[in-house]
């Protein structure tokens, strides 16, 4: 809502693409927030490698923006807790003054450097994930009462128009040894989040979804 542009504080955190719906915020929105917010705007782009959207170019336009990137998602180093931040030199200087010593481990550093060295292979795999995301979106949207939200992440957010059908799909998929994420919070109850896997995994999911849909939809 427009009220966010009136927010006050020292730090504002934004996930883009967002979890769990996979939505990205446009650069015009981020730029407007940087102009209206009196503190520092931190944009977490953990899933940005699966998107064509990034606010990195805005770092040349504003001084109060930090962009966080992670090796946990597209580079599959979640357990090593590696990432980095990009910002104006003055902000980075202040961050270095207060960061903990030995804040990363040696194995994580070696793994992250190797990922950077071989990033072309990772980005090629990401292209396949994006293609599979589009395929799953198109196939699931063919089912009556099912709507997939546009996603810029390595997952899709699937909405069931009939809330009572949601858990039936969750539990029946689990019986097939297919796990999806269900959210019990108000406003999210009739959604499931589905991670994009390999083509084989995605076909297994679609086949299972079809069998359940034949019973309930």
């Amino acid at each position: 809502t427009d009220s966010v542009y009136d927010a006050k504080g020292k730090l504002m955190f934004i996930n883009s693409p967002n979890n769990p719906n996979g939505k990205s915020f446009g650069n015009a929105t981020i730029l407007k927030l940087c102009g209206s917010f009196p503190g520092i705007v931190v944009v977490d782009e953990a899933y940005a490698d699966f998107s064509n959207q990034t606010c990195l170019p805005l770092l040349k336009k504003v001084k109060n923006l930090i962009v966080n990137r992670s090796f946990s998602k597209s580079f599959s180093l979640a357990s090593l807790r590696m990432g980095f931040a990009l910002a104006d030199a003055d902000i980075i200087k202040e961050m270095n003054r207060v960061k903990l010593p030995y804040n990363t481990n040696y194995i994580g550093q070696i793994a992250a450097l190797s990922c950077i060295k071989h990033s072309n292979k990772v980005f090629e795999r990401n292209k396949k994930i994006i293609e599979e995301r589009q395929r799953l979106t198109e196939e699931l949207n063919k089912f009556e009462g099912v709507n997939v939200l546009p996603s810029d992440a390595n997952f899709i957010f699937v909405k069931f128009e009939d809330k009572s059908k949601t858990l039936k799909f969750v539990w029946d998929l689990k019986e097939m040894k297919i796990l999806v994420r269900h959210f019990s919070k108000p406003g999210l109850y009739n959604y499931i989040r589905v991670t994009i896997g390999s083509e084989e995994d995605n076909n297994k999911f679609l086949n299972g979804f079809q069998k359940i849909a034949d019973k309930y939809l």
Side-chain angles (χ1 to χ4, degrees):
T1 64
D2 289 340
S3 61
V4 70
Y5 298 113
D6 298 323
K8 306 298 180 185
K10 295 182 178 180
L11 282 174
M12 175 185 288
F13 285 88
I14 301 171
N15 293 326
S16 183
N18 185 36
N19 184 10
N21 63 23
K23 178 182 178 181
S24 293
F25 293 90
N27 282 359
T29 299
I30 302 298
L31 189 61
K32 186 175 180 180
L33 284 171
C34 289
S36 64
F37 188 66
I40 294 174
V41 177
V42 183
V43 180
D44 184 352
E45 290 195 339
Y47 295 98
D49 288 337
F50 305 103
S51 168
N52 294 321
Q53 170 71 37
T54 176
C55 63
L56 288 177
L58 299 183
L59 291 170
K60 296 181 179 180
K61 297 182 178 182
V62 293
K63 300 292 186 180
N64 63 329
L65 174 64
I66 299 175
V67 181
N68 287 343
R69 287 294 185 94
S70 173
F71 287 93
S72 296
K73 309 305 179 184
S74 65
F75 289 97
S76 304
L77 297 185
S79 62
L80 296 180
R81 318 307 295 173
M82 296 297 297
F84 57 93
L86 301 101
D88 183 78
D90 289 338
I91 292 179
I92 296 297
K93 182 179 179 180
E94 293 302 313
M95 292 173 66
N96 283 330
R97 287 180 59 188
V98 298
K99 78 176 182 68
L100 295 174
Y102 315 114
N103 61 323
T104 60
N105 63 80
Y106 183 69
I107 294 177
Q109 292 177 26
I110 295 299
L113 289 172
S114 179
C115 284
I116 293 173
K117 181 179 179 180
H118 301 287
S119 59
N120 287 339
K121 294 181 179 179
V122 175
F123 295 148
E124 283 298 317
R125 185 187 62 184
N126 290 350
K127 289 180 181 179
K128 181 63 177 177
I129 291 174
I130 293 171
E131 291 173 0
E132 284 294 295
R133 182 183 70 200
Q134 181 62 30
R135 182 171 74 93
L136 257 65
T137 298
E138 293 174 356
E139 291 299 320
L140 292 176
N141 277 333
K142 294 177 182 178
F143 291 94
E144 185 176 355
V146 175
N147 180 41
V148 181
L149 277 63
S151 174
D152 284 329
N154 64 336
F155 53 79
I156 53 177
F157 208 41
V158 184
K159 179 181 180 181
F160 293 89
E161 298 299 335
D162 185 347
K163 185 186 297 186
S164 66
K165 305 289 179 63
T166 311
L167 280 181
K168 293 179 180 179
F169 274 82
V170 172
W171 291 114
D172 281 18
L173 285 168
K174 187 175 182 180
E175 288 293 319
M176 300 176 184
K177 301 187 184 303
I178 301 172
L179 300 180
V180 296
R181 177 71 185 274
H182 175 250
F183 299 86
S184 58
K185 294 182 179 180
L188 297 178
Y189 188 88
N190 55 324
Y191 290 87
I192 61 173
R193 191 186 67 190
V194 181
T195 299
I196 308 301
S198 65
E199 183 176 359
E200 180 182 358
D201 290 336
N202 296 333
N203 287 337
K204 180 180 179 181
F205 167 75
L206 287 173
N207 290 335
F209 197 95
Q210 178 67 68
K211 292 177 181 178
I212 302 170
D214 290 340
K215 291 195 297 182
Y216 301 128
L217 296 182

